[in-house]
Amino acid sequence: MTILGASFPDVGVARVSDGEYHRTLLDLIRHSVGQCVCDIFIVDHELDRDPDLRVDRILVELAAAAWRGVETRLMIGGSRHVPAIRGATLLAWARARDLGVDARLASATKDGSSHVKLVIADDRVLTGSHNWTRGMFGDETQDSVLLEGSALAAALRTYFIDKWLSTAQDEYDVSL
């Protein structure tokens, strides 16, 4: 596997189907010991669309990881122009921060955005097309993979930190 100009020949790969995504994600968060950083385009915390509170469970687990001493960060991509995504993003951002999760919005400024779906938990990486929405529960067809490799995780962490540092604003610029 090649990414960011480097080669990663010893990366384990496993498919994560729609019905397995939520459980796989929770397992990654719960078993992380050093880091659990997430960059997710849509985090939908509208409770009326998630009666089982699965998205909230993810945010609570991220807070628990931070409490255990795991470096935990959440970057939410969001949208400045789609009202439903924008509203859900702001709710998720507020909830994460209320729980004590270090969270930032890629769309907080006019020039910021992110469509990434990436979770790095120690030496494991979960990436693909799953957002943290009702669709991750199998309502939509999504494709994700679980990759295992310390060098790959380190390279993607560098990518994540660069994005994190470029979105250092704490407040959402509401103007379009």
Side-chain angles (χ1 to χ4, degrees), residues 88-175:
T89 296
L90 290 171
L91 284 173
W93 179 60
R95 175 64 170 151
R97 291 168 58 105
D98 286 348
L99 290 168
V101 175
D102 194 0
R104 294 188 181 172
L105 296 171
S107 60
T109 60
K110 291 179 185 178
D111 298 326
S113 67
S114 177
H115 199 261
V116 174
K117 291 97 174 176
L118 175 69
V119 176
I120 306 165
D122 300 325
D123 292 343
R124 297 183 294 170
V125 175
L126 180 61
T127 191
S129 60
H130 284 93
N131 286 296
W132 294 356
T133 65
R134 183 147 188 83
M136 84 170 133
F137 314 134
D139 293 349
E140 302 167 2
T141 300
Q142 303 288 334
D143 296 301
S144 289
V145 292
L146 180 61
L147 307 166
E148 189 160 350
S150 58
L152 175 64
L156 289 171
R157 177 177 161 45
T158 298
Y159 164 80
F160 175 88
I161 294 300
D162 287 347
K163 281 184 64 180
W164 182 263
L165 294 174
S166 71
T167 56
Q169 266 192 305
D170 286 334
E171 298 301 323
Y172 193 85
D173 174 4
V174 295
S175 65

Side-chain angles (χ1 to χ4, degrees), residues 50-108:
D50 185 12
D52 296 326
L53 303 178
R54 291 184 182 187
V55 173
D56 194 63
R57 171 58 42 208
I58 295 166
L59 299 176
V60 168
E61 291 296 339
L62 284 172
W67 183 82
R68 290 192 318 268
V70 175
E71 176 195 352
T72 305
R73 300 179 190 195
L74 173 61
M75 171 87 67
I76 304 171
S79 173
R80 297 186 63 75
H81 305 289
V82 179
I85 295 173
R86 184 178 177 174
T89 296
L90 290 171
L91 284 173
W93 179 60
R95 175 64 170 151
R97 291 168 58 105
D98 286 348
L99 290 168
V101 175
D102 194 0
R104 294 188 181 172
L105 296 171
S107 60

